[in-house]
Amino acid sequence: RRPTITEMPKSAKRSRRNANQPQSAAAPYSAKNGSANGGGSNGGGNNNNLISANTSLGQHFLKNPAVVTAIVQKSAVKSTDTVLEIGPGTGNMTVPLLQKAKKVIALEYDNRMVREVLKRVQHTPEESKLQVVHGDAMKTKWPFFDLCVANIPYQISSGIVFKLLAHRPTFRCAVLLLQEEFALRLSARPGEALYCRLSVNTQLLAKVDQLLKVGKNNFRPPPKVESRVVRLELKNPPPPVNFVEWDGMIRLLFNRKNK
């Protein structure tokens, strides 16, 4: 049985440059009739001819198996879980997730990575548990999932975090690999230099745990800064506030924090 592949409509792909546009639903795609085009930022692959990272997409391949193992362990995947993996890359994280989960939905933008992650599971017991979704993570309507695992490019980190915080139905947790300063902002406390609008809104809606520091040499190519793994657990039930009004007030306060 082949893994399921879905693809974003062409009209949505043309408008990818604007990450703030409304979401577009993924449409069915046949693996027999062609290859999907997708994208992501995780995985290095075991090929002799290593795929080069597309730095314009913020790709830095996580190449250290020990770090991959640590992230999967800290994700506490259950055998009944449906896992949403954003940016599977060549499948370095995807394969161990498939070995533990009931199903993995891999959301990928780079067409090269889509082909590679499919190769990794071809003719293996994990093949039938993988669904690949081709599209922009900011525009694709996310399916139901119990757990999210993601290696997120810096330029969409804020957007992905806010989309996770707003996602319904709620999920158990999200384990995210992020640039260190951004990760620390998520859990920064009042009075600290990194405390910001992101800190307030994230902590309003979720519990944030700093799990692991990941050095730049664990990636290919190495990024300019260190990274961290964080876990977000949505508060359930969510606080009884109108988030749009709340966020407007917080934005105003931080824009005028010195006045």
Side-chain angles (χ1 to χ4, degrees), residues 41-43 58 60-64 67-68 71 75 86-87 93 148-154 156-157 160-161 164 174-180 182-183 186 211-216 218-219 223 225-232:
S41 58
N42 177 43
H60 293 277
F61 299 147
L62 182 57
K63 67 179 184 178
N64 188 336
V67 176
V68 172
I71 293 173
S75 298
I86 301 173
M93 194 99 69
C148 177
V149 179
N151 177 7
I152 305 176
Y154 179 74
I156 61 170
S157 295
I160 292 296
V161 166
L164 282 166
V175 177
L176 311 175
L177 180 55
L178 303 159
Q179 284 194 6
E180 183 172 45
F182 183 91
L186 295 177
L211 300 180
L212 182 69
K213 184 171 181 177
V214 182
K216 60 181 75 173
N218 291 289
F219 298 88
V225 297
E226 307 293 296
S227 298
R228 279 182 177 263
V229 179
V230 303
R231 179 173 53 226
L232 300 181

Side-chain angles (χ1 to χ4, degrees), residues 14-143:
R14 292 192 191 104
S15 62
R16 181 185 179 274
R17 293 182 181 178
N18 185 356
N20 294 321
Q21 290 184 357
Q23 300 171 8
S24 300
Y29 183 85
S30 171
K32 292 183 179 180
N33 297 333
S35 62
N37 295 321
S41 58
N42 177 43
N46 296 324
N47 298 340
N48 292 328
N49 298 320
L50 293 176
I51 294 177
S52 60
N54 186 337
T55 53
S56 67
L57 296 178
Q59 288 180 346
H60 293 277
F61 299 147
L62 182 57
K63 67 179 184 178
N64 188 336
V67 176
V68 172
T69 299
I71 293 173
V72 173
Q73 288 177 344
K74 290 180 181 298
S75 298
V77 186
K78 299 178 181 179
S79 60
T80 56
D81 280 345
T82 294
V83 179
L84 175 67
E85 184 186 11
I86 301 173
T90 59
N92 283 0
M93 194 99 69
T94 312
V95 172
L97 287 173
L98 283 165
Q99 291 168 348
K100 292 179 175 293
K102 178 181 179 181
K103 179 180 182 180
V104 173
I105 303 170
L107 177 53
E108 181 58 74
Y109 181 79
D110 188 336
N111 62 314
R112 303 170 305 154
M113 299 303 109
V114 170
R115 290 192 293 267
E116 290 302 312
V117 75
L118 290 172
K119 285 180 187 177
R120 287 289 290 271
V121 301
Q122 194 172 22
H123 308 308
T124 70
E126 289 76 36
E127 186 175 13
S128 63
K129 299 198 292 182
L130 175 64
Q131 177 185 350
V132 178
V133 176
H134 158 230
D136 185 324
M138 286 302 302
K139 298 175 186 175
T140 303
K141 183 177 179 181
W142 295 350

Side-chain angles (χ1 to χ4, degrees), residues 203-215:
Q203 293 170 42
L204 171 73
L205 299 172
K207 179 177 179 249
V208 184
D209 292 309
Q210 300 286 337
L211 300 180
L212 182 69
K213 184 171 181 177
V214 182

